[in-house]
């Protein structure tokens, strides 16, 4: 694959990454989707999960995002993430502790706090999954269509 696209990962406080890549796999709320150079414009919510950066047919980096938005337009894919980190930096122990704390907070939450507490449980569960599957090879689809 010779066509590259510009990938940017942005948090509320900083530009975390900017690089030329072959493909980005984005954890969208409606499912993971791949973005190649020439992709049709798209705007999507991000769910807590793992996205991947692909170069030369290999997953070269896996990123855990807690949520946010993704935009693909004009040869660029930008993830505007509430929080993000390299999957290699996700501590399994910290993720499990976060999940326990979130579950306790959800159980104790009143009606006004239930939705936020449930969202924190969802993020913590995704983080535990990411840490537990850090060494696993994520499925790399054989064919992606650029719309």
């Amino acid at each position: 694959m010779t066509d590259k696209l510009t990938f940017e990962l942005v948090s509320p406080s900083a530009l975390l990454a900017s690089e030329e890549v072959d493909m980005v796999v984005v954890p969208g709320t409606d499912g993971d989707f791949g973005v190649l150079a020439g992709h049709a414009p798209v705007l999507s919510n991000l769910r807590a999960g793992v996205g991947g950066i692909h170069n030369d047919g290999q997953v070269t980096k896996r990123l855990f995002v807690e949520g946010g938005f993704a935009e693909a337009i004009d040869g660029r894919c930008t993830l505007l993430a509430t929080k993000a980190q390299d999957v290699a930096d996700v501590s399994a122990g910290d993720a499990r502790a976060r999940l326990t704390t979130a579950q306790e907070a959800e159980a104790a939450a009143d009606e006004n706090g239930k939705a936020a507490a449930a969202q924190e449980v969802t993020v913590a569960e995704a983080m535990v999954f990411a840490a537990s599957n850090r060494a696993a090879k994520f499925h790399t689809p054989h064919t992606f269509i650029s719309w």
Side-chain angles (χ1 to χ4, degrees):
M1 201 180 304
T2 59
D3 292 334
K4 298 278 189 177
L5 74 143
T6 302
F7 167 70
E8 291 184 334
L9 175 62
V10 182
S11 77
S13 60
L15 175 65
L16 302 175
S18 180
E19 59 186 282
E20 298 295 310
V21 302
D22 290 340
M23 180 173 72
V24 179
V25 175
V26 178
T29 54
D30 292 328
D32 293 354
F33 62 94
V35 178
L36 297 166
H39 197 285
V42 65
L43 184 63
S44 174
N45 288 323
L46 296 175
R47 66 165 168 48
V50 176
I53 306 303
H54 295 245
N55 283 301
D56 300 322
Q58 303 279 332
V59 178
T60 56
K61 187 181 295 183
R62 292 183 299 137
L63 302 165
F64 178 78
V65 295
E66 291 192 16
F69 298 93
E71 177 187 51
I73 191 167
D74 296 333
R76 177 179 307 277
C77 179
T78 304
L79 301 186
L80 305 165
T82 53
K83 291 185 183 174
Q85 66 186 97
D86 193 303
V87 169
D89 297 332
V90 176
S91 160
D94 289 348
R96 284 190 298 276
R98 181 174 178 175
L99 178 57
T100 299
T101 301
Q103 289 169 330
E104 291 169 355
E106 182 180 37
D110 63 14
E111 284 304 310
N112 292 331
K114 282 280 186 200
Q119 178 60 28
E120 177 62 17
V121 169
T122 299
V123 170
E125 288 171 341
M127 186 175 265
V128 168
F129 179 82
S132 300
N133 293 287
R134 167 184 5 247
K137 292 288 184 189
F138 279 61
H139 173 65
T140 303
H142 298 284
T143 305
F144 273 91
I145 300 171
S146 284
W147 300 100

